[in-house]
Amino acid sequence: MADDLKVFRTWSSPFALRIIWALQLKGLEYETIFEDLSQKSPLLLQYNPTYKKVPVLVHNGKPISESLVILEYIEETWNQNPLLPEDPYERAKARFWAKFVDEKLLQSVIDVLVTEGNKQEEAVPRAKENLKYIEEELKGNKFFGGATIGFTDIALGWTARWLPIIEEVTGIKLIEADTFPRISEWMQNFCDVPVIKANWPPYDKMVTKVQGTREKCLAPKGTN
Amino acid sequence: MASTDVKVIGAAPSPFVNRVQIALNLKSVDYEFLEEKMGSKSELLLKSNPVHKKIPVMIHGGKPICESLIIVQYIDEAWTDGPSILPSDPYARAMARFWAAYVDDKFYPTFRAFGSAEGEEAKAVAREQLMEAIMLLEDAFAKCGKGKDFFGGDTIGYLDIAIGCFLGWMRAVEKMSDIKLIDETKTPGLFGWAKRFGSNAAVKDVLPKTETLVEIAKMMAAKAKAQ
């Protein structure tokens, strides 16, 4: 029986991109349903009642939510092009760094985007400190996954596109090539991967959206 | 395997540390428990977990693994003779991971907020959010356990460990706040499960006694007031 795969996403969600990348890296076919989060579809609410968020993967009618959970599911269901190493210790490391991206790095980068003045001045070194951990962990490998991209690369991948955009919108340089040579090279190599190159949302649209997020967060309260 | 091959850096009252201990017990793996003193972090901890500087850390053959649920998955994958902790079906595994992540991302912060809420209004709001989270877990028990003894089915599994580690503290909070978090009529599934989980051989010597945790909570509250 052919697998029925559906991905609920928005055009801009970096978490949904993880799923798209994983499915394409494994050569899987799927249907895409684009959601408007201001008007969530009944299906989305039915498939993800806990969080009401994207992405959701629906496989033969069964929904899975939370991008890292979905990635593990894809990895375990389809064996081709493995995204996780075989060794349990290496797998634990891959999961650790993916979790670090979502629980520490992401918020520290968002903090830089949505603040200004003193608050932003405090946020920048925190974001850079988190990036430094990533820089050290790259240890001269082309990708976290080795010669090809894997679980951690996919988890971190949004930074390759979003960080330069955040730098453009805020005027703050987070990834200087001399302070973060490995990340800089990783970003270039990552963006060169065909599946990655093919799926970025339109650049200008993303800049507008990120700019909009910053403005909304900085707007004085009580203004519409 | 020599027992010193596996070390766990932790503290007995920590539910996250308890997860690791329960998982090792399920696999019948001996380990050396290195207890951290409250209020200070050992050199070994800082060296083994430089990014988060937190417990638990498990050290296996000299290599450190951090983050309790990641450690539990590692234990499942490194010791393959012995009961499986995660289910074998990929979809069941996804459900177990989803709800375990919910426990860490939503249930635990809500539980903490309830414990630290001050003032009638804040307490009432925190209580409502906590009860909502517990009802979701009651629901998850029905969906994942499918009428069996545990979230994992016939035997304790990943999600049982992820949630069950909090039972000690939940009972302590029930005692201190005069509230029923797991109620026989409102959450019958969780009620029965809690008894079975708590009395399981791999668990019963790990979960701290309620009285011990109440004492610790009182001590921490006194310390906080003194500052």
Side-chain angles (χ1 to χ4, degrees):
Chain A
M1 181 183 80
D3 285 308
D4 181 61
L5 280 167
K6 297 193 200 334
V7 178
F8 285 75
R9 64 173 292 195
T10 57
W11 69 268
S12 59
S13 162
F15 303 102
L17 270 184
R18 294 171 170 173
I19 310 312
I20 300 298
W21 293 333
L23 292 171
Q24 290 189 11
L25 285 166
K26 299 230 180 214
L28 298 165
E29 297 203 351
Y30 57 93
E31 184 194 338
T32 306
I33 293 118
F34 284 98
E35 285 283 328
D36 170 3
L37 295 182
S38 65
Q39 272 192 69
K40 295 176 186 179
S41 73
L43 264 184
L44 177 64
L45 299 178
Q46 177 197 323
Y47 285 140
N48 190 359
T50 310
Y51 297 111
K52 307 176 176 55
K53 280 183 177 180
V54 296
V56 178
L57 177 74
V58 185
H59 181 205
N60 294 336
K62 296 206 263 190
I64 306 115
S65 309
E66 293 298 283
S67 62
L68 296 183
V69 175
I70 300 172
L71 283 183
E72 296 250 21
Y73 176 80
I74 292 171
E75 174 71 355
E76 289 172 348
T77 308
W78 293 278
N79 294 330
Q80 64 272 32
N81 282 355
L83 303 172
L84 277 169
E86 276 191 32
D87 174 66
Y89 183 68
E90 296 299 318
R91 289 163 78 89
K93 278 201 332 198
R95 288 173 174 139
F96 175 88
W97 288 108
K99 195 162 190 247
F100 174 80
V101 168
D102 279 4
E103 293 189 353
K104 288 271 160 21
L105 180 63
L106 177 63
Q107 190 55 55
S108 66
V109 165
I110 290 175
D111 286 344
V112 172
L113 173 66
V114 300
T115 56
E116 59 187 348
N118 283 342
K119 272 203 170 138
Q120 193 183 52
E121 271 172 37
E122 288 164 14
V124 171
R126 279 202 305 267
K128 284 191 176 174
E129 191 188 322
N130 287 329
L131 287 165
K132 229 167 150 220
Y133 286 123
I134 300 282
E135 174 77 15
E136 280 163 21
E137 191 59 23
L138 267 168
K139 289 194 233 293
N141 283 330
K142 188 174 184 195
F143 298 114
F144 282 92
T148 53
I149 62 175
F151 193 82
T152 307
D153 302 282
I154 291 176
L156 186 62
W158 59 272
T159 58
R161 188 69 148 194
W162 263 264
L163 280 185
I165 291 178
I166 289 171
E167 289 176 339
E168 186 179 319
V169 162
T170 59
I172 292 177
K173 198 93 180 95
L174 289 170
I175 308 282
E176 274 128 344
D178 52 355
T179 347
F180 295 108
R182 291 178 188 156
I183 294 184
S184 303
E185 206 180 321
W186 172 84
M187 281 180 168
Q188 276 190 359
N189 288 330
F190 186 80
C191 290
D192 279 342
V193 174
V195 161
I196 306 304
K197 217 194 281 217
N199 287 295
W200 292 126
Y203 187 83
D204 291 338
K205 224 177 152 187
M206 279 173 68
V207 172
T208 308
K209 184 162 172 73
V210 171
Q211 178 78 45
T213 302
R214 177 172 169 77
E215 281 163 13
K216 202 158 92 169
C217 292
L218 291 179
K221 296 209 160 81
T223 313
N224 271 7
Chain B
M1 200 162 276
S3 63
T4 51
D5 193 44
V6 180
K7 300 186 212 292
V8 175
I9 309 175
S14 160
F16 301 101
V17 171
N18 294 161
R19 287 173 171 172
V20 175
Q21 294 170 284
I22 293 168
L24 288 169
N25 287 349
L26 280 172
K27 298 277 189 181
S28 304
V29 172
D30 287 330
Y31 60 94
E32 189 184 347
F33 191 74
L34 302 169
E35 180 107 31
E36 287 285 301
K37 289 198 194 83
M38 211 186 290
S40 74
K41 293 181 198 233
S42 70
E43 283 254 4
L44 182 62
L45 173 61
L46 297 176
K47 193 181 88 170
S48 308
N49 191 357
V51 174
H52 301 297
K53 307 174 178 57
K54 281 184 174 179
I55 52 172
V57 178
M58 189 175 96
I59 304 179
H60 184 203
K63 297 200 260 194
I65 305 112
C66 309
E67 297 292 286
S68 62
L69 290 180
I70 293 177
I71 299 172
V72 171
Q73 286 187 87
Y74 172 83
I75 290 169
D76 201 27
E77 291 173 355
W79 285 277
T80 48
D81 52 344
S84 285
I85 295 176
L86 274 157
S88 49
D89 171 65
Y91 192 73
R93 290 163 79 93
M95 289 304 100
R97 286 186 174 119
F98 174 86
W99 285 110
Y102 175 82
V103 169
D104 278 2
D105 296 342
K106 291 279 179 255
F107 167 77
Y108 177 64
T110 310
F111 182 47
R112 279 203 77 163
F114 176 72
S116 59
E118 285 184 14
E120 284 308 309
E121 206 183 310
K123 276 206 181 94
V125 169
R127 180 189 181 139
E128 196 181 319
Q129 287 177 346
L130 178 57
M131 294 317 294
E132 263 176 45
I134 290 173
M135 287 314 296
L136 269 185
L137 293 177
E138 171 77 8
D139 216 40
F141 180 70
K143 287 202 189 98
C144 298
K146 299 199 216 303
K148 294 198 169 170
D149 279 352
F150 300 104
F151 284 88
D154 292 318
T155 52
I156 284 182
Y158 185 75
L159 188 50
D160 298 279
I161 296 174
I163 304 174
C165 66
F166 293 106
L167 284 172
W169 278 105
M170 286 174 81
R171 291 199 186 100
V173 164
E174 284 181 334
K175 219 173 185 172
M176 293 185 292
S177 311
D178 195 27
I179 177 183
K180 267 260 164 265
L181 294 176
I182 295 185
D183 181 270
E184 193 164 7
T185 35
K186 293 194 187 129
T187 53
L190 289 176
F191 188 82
W193 164 80
K195 282 209 175 108
R196 293 187 293 272
F197 182 84
S199 59
N200 183 275
V203 174
K204 63 180 169 38
D205 295 328
V206 172
L207 286 187
K209 294 195 171 53
T210 312
E211 303 83 59
T212 312
L213 295 178
V214 169
E215 282 310 308
I216 292 175
K218 285 187 179 152
M219 197 177 69
M220 282 166 59
K223 240 191 196 165
K225 276 212 169 95
Q227 276 163 1

